[in-house]
Amino acid sequence: MRNSQLDNEDPTLRQAMFDHLNRLLVSTQAEFLPFRVINTFEYHGQPIALIVQSGIRKVAGYSGALTIRTTFTPPSAVPPYMDDVGSDGLVRYKYRGEDEGHSDNRALRHAMEMGLPLAYFVGIASGIYLPIYPVYVEAEDRSRHEFAIAVDEHLHGLDLGSIDDFQREYRTSMTKIRLHQPSFRSRVLHAYNSTCAICRLRHSELLDAAHILPDGHPRGAPVVPN
């Protein structure tokens, strides 16, 4: 049954979600949040979980998806969905399953068609997420069962067919910086309890994470053991 308070595509719901995430990040002074804290969101007094098991969150009464997530996968395990960055700088976010008509996939398609902003939760540890927002669904590849997601507002709405090789490389680099570098830093800070491994400094805003083996090294992956 549809809740009359949740008018279809009411933009105030999405803004309320972003405000909720802003408050959490300011109050905790952290870049990553437990899913139980993220899911304390309420709208007009109604609790709305932002992270759900399926990965794509659609609120009853709305046509467009509200949030997406990429679950945390330990370095030694194979992720259930291979979300990655394409050569155009957009994140490739896999369908739920392979049925393009599944309600979750339709919800992401509607968000793309309407240009709706979403929140993207990237798992950095079990039950811990890096929130990235707003993000936008830019395109869909039905043959590959995936959507293309812009994780930076500056990449939203650009004509993918008009960019040259240099622009593609730049966009890809910017996306990796926006997506992978904060995720790597958050995973390291979480693993070390927001404490410097050398001097024991506990001010997370002053701490950074760096690879022992650099990116170009065969074993220079952005993972906590490195």
Side-chain angles (χ1 to χ4, degrees):
M1 184 175 69
R2 178 170 170 174
N3 187 326
S4 61
Q5 287 185 309
L6 300 182
D7 294 332
N8 198 27
E9 310 314 340
D10 176 3
T12 61
L13 169 63
R14 295 172 189 273
Q15 187 57 55
M17 173 180 67
F18 299 144
D19 292 343
H20 167 73
L21 295 173
N22 287 338
R23 286 193 297 271
L24 291 177
L25 293 172
V26 169
S27 64
T28 61
Q29 292 295 297
E31 294 134 15
F32 47 86
L33 299 166
F35 86 94
R36 296 186 186 280
V37 174
I38 293 170
N39 279 354
T40 59
F41 176 59
E42 293 187 357
Y43 183 65
H44 291 323
Q46 176 179 334
I48 298 177
L50 299 179
I51 296 178
V52 293
Q53 185 65 31
S54 65
I56 300 171
R57 179 61 163 120
K58 174 185 174 296
V59 176
Y62 286 77
S63 299
L66 182 65
T67 74
I68 55 177
R69 74 157 181 166
T70 293
T71 189
F72 169 71
T73 302
S76 59
V78 177
Y81 289 91
M82 297 297 291
D83 301 327
D84 205 353
V85 180
S87 61
D88 51 13
L90 301 178
V91 173
R92 294 308 192 268
Y93 190 84
K94 293 298 184 181
Y95 279 4
R96 182 178 179 186
E98 296 186 353
D99 178 9
E100 65 185 46
H102 190 286
S103 60
D104 284 352
N105 299 328
R106 292 202 313 269
L108 273 180
R109 188 174 301 118
H110 185 80
M112 174 185 68
E113 293 168 349
M114 298 298 293
L116 301 174
L118 295 83
Y120 183 18
F121 299 106
V122 180
I124 64 161
S126 180
I128 307 295
Y129 290 88
L130 172 72
I132 302 175
Y133 58 94
V135 304
Y136 295 86
V137 187
E138 296 293 308
E140 178 182 7
D141 187 337
R142 299 193 184 193
S143 66
R144 297 177 60 88
H145 309 118
E146 64 188 20
F147 292 94
I149 310 292
V151 299
D152 191 310
E153 288 188 274
H154 295 95
L155 303 180
H156 174 47
L158 296 181
D159 181 2
L160 301 180
S162 65
I163 60 176
D164 57 29
D165 290 341
F166 174 80
Q167 290 173 313
R168 287 179 183 274
E169 183 176 348
Y170 176 79
R171 285 166 59 109
T172 302
S173 298
M174 290 300 99
T175 298
K176 288 182 176 179
I177 290 171
R178 177 121 164 86
L179 180 64
H180 294 304
Q181 295 305 321
S183 299
F184 171 63
R185 179 177 184 274
S186 297
R187 288 196 300 273
V188 172
L189 290 181
H190 178 71
Y192 284 87
N193 196 27
S194 295
T195 302
C196 177
I198 298 174
C199 70
R200 315 312 295 173
L201 179 72
R202 292 187 58 85
H203 293 283
S204 61
E205 66 274 14
L206 300 178
L207 300 178
D208 205 348
H211 301 180
I212 297 171
L213 298 176
D215 281 323
H217 192 280
R219 290 182 291 159
V223 295
V224 172
N226 188 31

